[in-house]
Amino acid sequence: MAHASGPQSSSAMQVDEPTTKLHNGDIDESLYSRQLYVLGHEAMKRMSASNILIVGLKGLGAEIAKNIALAGVKSLTLFDPAPASIADLSSQFFLHPDDVGQSRAEVTMPRVAELNAYTPVKIHPAKILTEDLSLLRSYQVVVLTATSLKDQLIISDYCHANKIFLVITDIFGLFGSIFTDFGESFTITDATGENPISGIVSNIDTDGLVTALDETRHGLEDGDFVTFSEVQGMDGLNGVAPRKVTVKGPYTFSIGDVTDFGQYKQGGLFTQVKMPRFIDFKPLASQLKKPDLLTSDFSKFDRPQQLHIGFQALHSFADSHHGELPRPHHIADANEVIKLAQSLAAEGEETVELDEKLIQELSYQARGNLSPMVAFFGGLAAQEVLKSVSGKFHPIVQWLYFDSLESLPRSKRSEELCKPLGSRYDGQIAVFGKDFQEKLSNVNEFLVGAGAIGCEMLKNWAMIGLGTGLKGKISVTDMDSIEKSNLNRQFLFRPKDVGKLKSDCAAEAVQAMNPDLKGKIVTLRDRVGQDTEHIFNETFWEELDGVTNALDNVDARTYVDRRCVFFRKPLLDSGTLGTKGNTQVVLPGLTESYASSQDPPEQSFPMCTLRSFPNRIEHTIAWARDLFESYFVKPPENVNLYLSQPDFMATTLKQAGNEFQTLETLRDYLVMEKPLTFEDCIVWARHQFEKQYNNAIQQLLYNFPKDSITGSGAPFWSGPKRAPNPLKFDISNPTHSGFIIAAANLHAFNYHINTQGVPYDTYAKVLDAMIIPDFSPNPTVKIQADDNEPDPNAKAVGSGFDDSGELKKMAASLPAPQTLSGYRLAPVEFEKDDDSNHHIDFITAASNLRAENYGIATADRHKTKFIAGKIIPAIATTTALVTGLVNLELYKIIDGKDDIEQYKNGFVNLALPFFGFSEPIASPKGKYLSKNGEVTVDKLWDRFEVPDITLTEFLKHFEEKGLDITMVSSGVSLLYASFYPQSKLKDRYPLKLSELVASVSKKPIPDHQKNVIFEITAEDQTGEDVEVPYVMMRRRH
């Protein structure tokens, strides 16, 4: 069953060799870049020295193996000699129907090996896991799934005694658990993964009370540690061992006794230091009796203790029934489990009140195998494995239980309806019954995005049989092609797929996973937006049962959300950021929508800070990113506009408002500095170095000498203002030469000059031959000292640029466009993931040179790329877990639940770890007084609908509802206002609404548009203005 991407049969196994040759200990940043921004180089190096064993290869074991293989470890070993069964296909996505009867490990191993060429995969050399425990010594971590409690205890004791980390995880239908034991004195190097906090000091008093500058919140917590640098007066504090913090207020904290460090004068930076933490884990045997329980859902506070007993009862049942778990919805089996649970509860040290219905449900579902639960616990368990070997993030201590009983359908379930049918969906039928399985198969769902979340979503849908029925259908759209950096977390893609369309490859992969999907997936390559409404038209939207977002940008998510509100379709939205993830359910008529709440705006820096007074590396990177645009993007674009637009000088230039600057740039790029050879590009780059890192700094220090005093008598260069120093060019300094090489190559790209095979000594020869004139500061130059002050270089409003003679002179110096017919420059399109294009190289060098000017600690290429490229950190574990949560909500939507309390929005942070679930916020409601009493309206979801009637009929229609309309508009056209004179209205009253819109807007309504939206303002029976929904007019076609 070989296919274009995704899991393949063992006969067609394709294990790609690593495409990047690495030195020992190095990390392939092109593959792991997004994960590196989550874990860091040190944690990943520790992972790459670790050997992991995964026991049990039903769905849960396979999911953990997938996530760990993608993350990258030294070796991954699998153990499960048992034959695959048809029911395994409910969640084991590496298995195909023709694998039934073969060893799970044998058929799964080659398919896991395809995921990552840097992670070798093999099979554990034993027939029975517990017969030779010494074999476990070759692993740093052992993961147990689908293992008997008796074997768990034997392996736990051995692992604890031999300092082998242990993770045990199990799922039974909609119930799941995870247990961790990382031994005694386990070290956590970084509990949160957040960047260390730093800030500027404004004062340190004699009692050790530190005050942050300008009432900036320090963000520290009690027990944090900080170090100090650049403190003047109290010099002894610089570089001392980290000091423990006691928070005194949002702007102050104490560091204890400072009597030996001198008297504080001014300045200083504080930086948080991540100190190691130590945890003692206990073995399974003692944790079974006295468990440490982490709460996964605060609305189910008493449930973990009960499930702790219930899971043990299931193991006891299996022990006395030849390893078989209770049968689906079997009452006698459930009664036996309840008795076992009651007996276990009575033996325990603490009293646990058991809810018999809960234990009964656990027994009913024990043989259940649900892909969303597999995704949740598979993501969680894999992250715990990575924590154990890397020391990065805080582990689960030591148990976590989770259930999603709210996902159970309202349809009837019985032993008959839940019994196995010899189908690949038996693991799901055991929980939900065959009627609900039928319902799932006939859903028409739209997936927007086929990236990391999209791949996981499609895998889950293939496993649960979504859209596989006669009426079922899945539409998936993604305009992007596959890149190498996608392979680390978008697991349906393989190295050979790089360059192909995501939607096509993802669809092909999941159809191979579940052949029932063949012919059921429609793939598109179009962005969902206003410009594609002729593709995603009314017919498309009206046929859908629901929409799932798998997008990473707010604008696209907001647009899809608006369409879902308009067409009244349920929407499932989710997102991840490193170890953080969130899920949101949007339900027509019940909840608020995605757009109802907004994320805080992106951080921006004051212009003055970027131009002249940076104090953090983020400032210099933002400045360098702007420099990239002002050198290699904007000037070539302006040159091309000048050469191609006949009216450029008359219109475009004037509209831009900075005529002089634009003409100056055109003159430089077309005349004064136009290169003819690559050597000319090197000369240009060297002059830019001088201009930015020497001349501009000398000018700044001329305007504001280092001993300057402000009007209040304070030193000008203090607090956030760091006094710079000019740089002297040194070709032997790699940052200096790096700037020249990157700038020259990018400038050459603008001019289509070939740079292939230029030897390094060419740069040296050209630079040696150059004579750089000395710089003299210009006394007429003014520099803005503060963003709160007026810009001294800004033109007065209305003054314009008076010197038209100077403008004309400069315009005359430009070559006429017709003399350069067909000539165009090549603007650079910023691309962060191509390491050979000099883009990130330029920004890194430009930023670090400016950091050198200002005495700011520089950043390596990796960090610069992250900030300049606005990269979203990502890791497969969070993606898998979040997708599991989304699909637990999808079950509820397909069931048609209309009780908002049954739904959950989720927020998780696997680093802490934290799990927060809340009921979705209800959509806002309004009221108005009609002729028949008070009417409640949903401000988000409700609307009035009318046919294409006349304006007179329209006004009368609302009058009958008790609403006196005062204004009607459509788009920007005001169609009716009560204050309009009758002479104006008399021609409008008899017009049909479609005619009225066409008449007033002077544009006919497009043929493909099936409806027109009207906004109205109205007064109700009280005579007061009331907020009412919009009106939709349906057109007849």
Side-chain angles (χ1 to χ4, degrees):
M1 290 184 71
H3 60 95
S5 66
Q8 305 193 7
S9 64
S10 47
S11 61
M13 174 182 152
Q14 295 188 1
V15 181
D16 296 82
E17 287 300 311
T19 53
T20 307
K21 298 292 179 197
L22 301 175
H23 299 295
N24 190 30
D26 282 355
I27 292 165
D28 184 350
E29 291 191 7
S30 61
L31 174 67
Y32 290 120
S33 77
R34 304 309 189 261
Q35 181 177 293
L36 269 166
Y37 294 121
V38 183
L39 298 173
H41 283 80
E42 281 311 306
M44 282 201 60
K45 279 178 182 169
R46 286 194 285 270
M47 282 160 48
S48 66
S50 304
N51 304 292
I52 318 293
L53 171 67
I54 296 173
V55 175
L57 290 169
K58 291 188 174 184
L60 184 52
E63 179 69 31
I64 298 166
K66 178 258 290 179
N67 291 329
I68 291 172
L70 290 171
V73 291
K74 185 177 183 182
S75 75
L76 183 59
T77 306
L78 310 177
F79 176 83
D80 192 341
S85 71
I86 190 71
D88 293 343
L89 272 66
S90 290
S91 62
Q92 220 285 33
F93 45 88
F94 287 122
L95 296 179
H96 303 145
D98 53 1
D99 295 324
V100 171
Q102 297 182 63
S103 153
R104 288 196 197 105
E106 293 286 347
V107 292
T108 302
M109 185 275 287
R111 294 166 194 166
V112 176
E114 290 176 12
L115 293 171
N116 189 345
Y118 295 112
T119 300
V121 185
K122 47 188 188 262
I123 293 173
H124 184 66
K127 292 271 190 297
I128 299 166
L129 191 64
T130 51
E131 71 182 359
D132 184 0
L133 292 173
S134 67
L135 291 173
L136 301 181
R137 287 192 177 182
S138 55
Y139 308 111
Q140 278 69 48
V141 195
V142 172
V143 182
L144 301 180
T145 72
T147 306
S148 71
L149 184 58
K150 184 175 134 198
D151 283 356
Q152 286 179 18
L153 285 162
I154 293 167
I155 291 162
S156 163
D157 286 346
Y158 185 84
C159 287
H160 194 84
N162 287 277
K163 297 183 170 49
I164 301 164
F165 304 137
L166 178 68
V167 175
I168 304 173
T169 180
D170 276 307
I171 55 165
F172 303 106
L174 288 163
F175 300 89
S177 74
I178 184 167
F179 168 79
T180 61
D181 174 9
F182 299 164
E184 289 160 19
S185 293
F186 176 74
T187 307
I188 305 167
T189 55
D190 179 357
T192 66
E194 301 295 333
N195 287 328
I197 294 163
S198 61
I200 301 170
V201 175
S202 74
N203 188 48
I204 306 173
D205 71 11
T206 51
D207 296 325
L209 185 74
V210 181
T211 305
L213 182 78
D214 289 344
E215 292 212 335
T216 307
R217 290 175 180 270
H218 52 66
L220 297 166
E221 296 177 5
D222 278 345
D224 283 345
F225 285 80
V226 292
T227 56
F228 291 86
S229 59
E230 300 183 20
V231 177
Q232 294 176 36
M234 206 176 268
D235 299 64
L237 195 55
N238 295 325
V240 297
R243 306 279 294 196
K244 194 172 183 180
V245 164
T246 306
V247 173
K248 297 297 183 184
Y251 315 109
T252 55
F253 58 90
S254 172
I255 54 168
D257 183 18
V258 291
T259 49
D260 296 338
F261 298 129
Q263 183 73 34
Y264 179 80
K265 285 182 186 167
Q266 67 172 42
L269 305 172
F270 67 84
T271 305
Q272 181 190 16
V273 178
K274 300 282 184 99
M275 302 295 276
R277 294 188 193 177
F278 304 96
I279 299 178
D280 285 328
F281 284 82
K282 296 183 178 64
L284 178 64
S286 62
Q287 277 285 307
L288 279 173
K289 292 174 187 163
K290 208 169 178 184
D292 288 316
L293 297 162
L294 175 69
T295 303
S296 65
D297 187 340
F298 289 95
S299 68
K300 302 175 180 178
F301 204 69
D302 61 341
R303 203 164 281 182
Q305 295 91 328
Q306 296 183 68
L307 293 180
H308 188 67
I309 301 286
F311 276 46
Q312 290 177 70
L314 285 183
H315 282 291
S316 294
F317 180 97
D319 277 350
S320 56
H321 291 80
H322 311 291
E324 295 291 327
L325 289 163
R327 287 161 285 187
H329 232 276
H330 194 281
I331 291 169
D333 285 1
N335 288 338
E336 191 177 331
V337 172
I338 290 168
K339 280 182 184 163
L340 287 165
Q342 287 167 337
S343 169
L344 284 162
E347 292 167 11
E349 291 180 26
E350 294 177 14
T351 308
V352 177
E353 290 286 328
L354 289 181
D355 176 350
E356 287 190 14
K357 282 190 174 173
L358 180 71
I359 305 301
Q360 181 186 58
E361 196 58 66
L362 177 61
S363 176
Y364 283 171
Q365 297 184 32
R367 293 193 189 186
N369 200 342
L370 301 177
S371 183
M373 290 296 288
V374 161
F376 180 89
F377 277 97
L380 194 56
Q383 189 67 59
E384 293 305 304
V385 170
L386 301 182
K387 288 177 186 179
S388 70
V389 295
S390 69
K392 180 101 177 195
F393 309 137
H394 199 293
I396 290 170
V397 180
Q398 285 187 251
W399 293 94
L400 178 135
Y401 287 91
F402 171 80
D403 74 82
S404 183
L405 284 183
E406 302 81 9
S407 299
L408 283 173
R410 295 170 299 180
S411 52
K412 191 173 184 298
R413 295 180 301 140
S414 65
E415 188 180 348
E416 179 61 26
L417 289 168
C418 295
K419 71 180 184 186
L421 304 173
S423 139
R424 66 174 297 137
Y425 308 114
D426 279 354
Q428 191 160 253
I429 291 168
V431 180
F432 296 142
K434 65 179 183 183
D435 292 352
F436 188 68
Q437 185 62 46
E438 178 73 11
K439 209 170 184 179
L440 282 169
S441 73
N442 286 303
V443 166
N444 181 349
E445 191 78 10
F446 182 27
L447 177 65
V448 191
I453 289 177
C455 282
E456 292 291 336
M457 206 67 72
L458 284 170
K459 176 256 287 179
N460 273 275
W461 293 355
M463 295 297 97
I464 69 177
L466 190 81
T468 53
L470 280 173
K471 298 178 187 169
K473 180 178 167 185
I474 293 170
S475 302
V476 55
T477 190
D478 197 309
M479 63 192 288
D480 287 344
S481 298
I482 298 160
E483 297 173 3
K484 185 180 177 184
S485 64
N486 299 150
L487 303 178
N488 171 238
R489 64 203 183 284
Q490 299 177 17
F491 90 106
L492 296 180
F493 309 139
R494 300 290 177 271
K496 63 186 167 43
D497 298 325
V498 170
K500 295 179 187 172
L501 274 176
K502 286 184 177 181
S503 53
D504 289 346
C505 286
E508 202 170 336
V510 293
Q511 285 172 87
M513 278 180 188
N514 183 355
D516 294 355
L517 274 174
K518 286 201 169 138
K520 294 293 179 182
I521 303 183
V522 176
T523 61
L524 300 110
R525 57 174 69 187
D526 305 284
R527 190 176 68 88
V528 183
Q530 280 185 312
D531 53 339
T532 54
E533 285 181 8
H534 59 290
I535 297 167
F536 305 105
N537 54 23
E538 279 93 339
T539 305
F540 175 86
W541 283 95
E542 283 161 3
E543 287 176 352
L544 296 173
D545 293 313
V547 181
T548 302
N549 266 349
L551 294 161
D552 62 1
N553 75 85
V554 172
D555 289 344
R557 288 160 86 172
T558 304
Y559 175 81
V560 173
D561 174 71
R562 282 205 312 271
R563 299 305 274 172
C564 287
V565 170
F566 182 78
F567 290 103
R568 294 181 176 142
K569 300 296 176 186
L571 170 68
L572 288 161
D573 190 90
S574 58
T576 68
L577 182 71
T579 58
K580 303 183 185 93
N582 70 285
T583 63
Q584 183 179 358
V585 193
V586 177
L587 302 163
L590 286 178
T591 71
E592 67 174 22
S593 77
Y594 171 79
S596 301
S597 56
Q598 288 184 322
D599 291 332
E602 216 175 273
Q603 183 188 19
S604 61
F605 303 117
M607 282 309 299
C608 233
T609 302
L610 294 186
R611 276 190 208 134
S612 309
F613 309 111
N615 58 64
R616 289 163 47 192
I617 195 66
E618 289 82 358
H619 297 157
T620 68
I621 292 171
W623 176 87
R625 181 72 182 83
D626 286 346
L627 193 67
F628 179 92
E629 290 286 317
S630 67
Y631 278 165
F632 313 117
V633 184
K634 292 279 166 45
E637 284 176 350
N638 279 334
V639 165
N640 291 349
L641 285 173
Y642 168 72
L643 296 175
S644 61
Q645 284 190 355
D647 56 351
F648 177 80
M649 300 298 272
T651 57
T652 311
L653 193 57
K654 279 200 166 54
Q655 284 165 6
N658 51 355
E659 298 103 310
F660 191 81
Q661 197 179 339
T662 306
L663 284 173
E664 203 171 31
T665 303
L666 290 174
R667 184 197 62 191
D668 289 348
Y669 276 69
L670 280 172
V671 184
M672 308 284 284
E673 296 174 0
K674 181 183 175 185
L676 299 174
T677 64
F678 184 63
E679 285 78 3
D680 292 343
C681 296
I682 298 171
V683 169
W684 176 86
R686 175 66 183 88
H687 282 304
Q688 301 316 307
F689 179 98
E690 201 67 16
K691 177 181 171 184
Q692 301 297 345
Y693 306 110
N694 180 31
N695 303 358
I697 301 301
Q698 284 199 48
Q699 182 69 54
L700 182 64
L701 290 171
Y702 174 83
N703 286 52
F704 305 110
K706 289 191 177 182
D707 56 1
S708 298
I709 302 293
T710 65
S712 61
F716 178 85
W717 295 105
S718 62
K721 287 189 171 75
R722 302 173 66 84
N725 290 299
L727 296 184
K728 186 172 173 53
F729 181 74
D730 176 4
I731 195 170
S732 65
N733 182 318
T735 312
H736 294 212
S737 57
F739 176 89
I740 302 296
I741 292 166
N745 275 275
L746 289 167
H747 198 55
F749 177 89
N750 286 154
Y751 288 91
H752 309 281
I753 293 170
N754 183 19
T755 62
Q756 294 301 310
V758 175
Y760 183 75
D761 62 2
T762 301
Y763 294 95
K765 279 179 194 165
V766 173
L767 293 169
D768 282 346
M770 286 181 70
I771 297 169
I772 305 294
D774 288 339
F775 175 75
S776 298
N778 183 344
T780 65
V781 168
K782 294 171 182 167
I783 298 173
Q784 190 178 3
D786 194 309
D787 270 299
N788 298 322
E789 294 177 6
D791 184 350
N793 300 304
K795 295 176 202 166
V797 178
S799 69
F801 188 88
D802 294 334
D803 198 348
S804 55
E806 189 67 29
L807 275 177
K808 280 179 185 165
K809 190 171 158 191
M810 197 174 294
S813 72
L814 298 176
Q818 56 268 32
T819 64
L820 293 167
S821 180
Y823 180 77
R824 295 289 183 274
L825 295 191
V828 172
E829 282 186 41
F830 178 61
E831 171 49 61
K832 58 188 175 287
D833 286 318
D834 179 353
D835 289 343
S836 66
N837 65 11
H838 300 286
H839 298 189
I840 295 297
D841 295 334
F842 174 81
I843 293 168
T844 304
S847 165
N848 284 341
L849 289 169
R850 191 159 174 85
E852 279 183 42
N853 279 142
Y854 285 88
I856 298 166
T858 58
D860 62 12
R861 190 181 190 282
H862 181 68
K863 182 176 179 178
T864 305
K865 175 178 167 178
F866 176 61
I867 297 170
K870 295 183 178 176
I871 288 175
I872 298 170
I875 188 167
T877 50
T878 316
T879 308
L881 183 143
V882 162
T883 312
L885 290 175
V886 169
N887 283 291
L888 291 171
E889 299 306 305
L890 179 65
Y891 285 142
K892 302 172 189 177
I893 290 173
I894 292 168
D895 184 45
K897 294 185 195 302
D898 54 10
D899 177 4
I900 197 170
E901 292 180 8
Q902 296 294 302
Y903 291 91
K904 290 185 183 289
N905 288 343
F907 177 79
V908 299
N909 186 342
L910 299 189
L912 300 178
F914 170 81
F915 303 86
F917 296 99
S918 62
E919 183 185 306
I921 297 169
S923 50
K925 307 296 188 284
K927 291 176 180 173
Y928 71 87
L929 190 62
S930 75
K931 288 178 177 174
N932 302 317
E934 198 169 69
V935 177
T936 301
V937 291
D938 190 308
K939 291 183 181 180
L940 179 64
W941 297 98
D942 280 349
R943 62 176 173 238
F944 298 112
E945 293 191 15
V946 296
D948 192 2
I949 53 180
T950 65
L951 178 57
T952 302
E953 291 167 328
F954 183 85
L955 298 173
K956 191 176 179 192
H957 174 77
F958 284 98
E959 196 182 313
E960 287 165 1
K961 292 180 179 290
L963 291 170
D964 181 15
I965 291 187
T966 53
M967 269 196 282
V968 182
S969 62
S970 180
V972 294
S973 303
L974 184 57
L975 309 175
Y976 168 83
S978 55
F979 55 78
Y980 274 180
Q982 285 303 309
S983 57
K984 186 171 189 174
L985 291 173
K986 72 174 176 20
D987 294 335
R988 296 188 179 190
Y989 284 135
L991 293 178
K992 287 197 166 185
L993 295 174
S994 58
E995 296 165 347
L996 183 60
V997 170
S999 164
V1000 176
S1001 69
K1002 298 185 171 51
K1003 280 188 294 188
I1005 300 165
D1007 284 341
H1008 71 266
Q1009 195 175 320
K1010 288 188 176 178
N1011 48 61
V1012 182
I1013 303 304
F1014 298 92
E1015 299 288 345
I1016 58 172
T1017 57
E1019 296 171 356
D1020 69 357
Q1021 295 297 290
T1022 64
E1024 298 290 325
D1025 279 345
V1026 285
E1027 201 175 333
V1028 288
Y1030 67 91
V1031 184
M1032 185 177 86
M1033 181 204 82
R1034 288 199 175 276
R1035 296 175 74 202
R1036 286 201 189 121
H1037 281 268

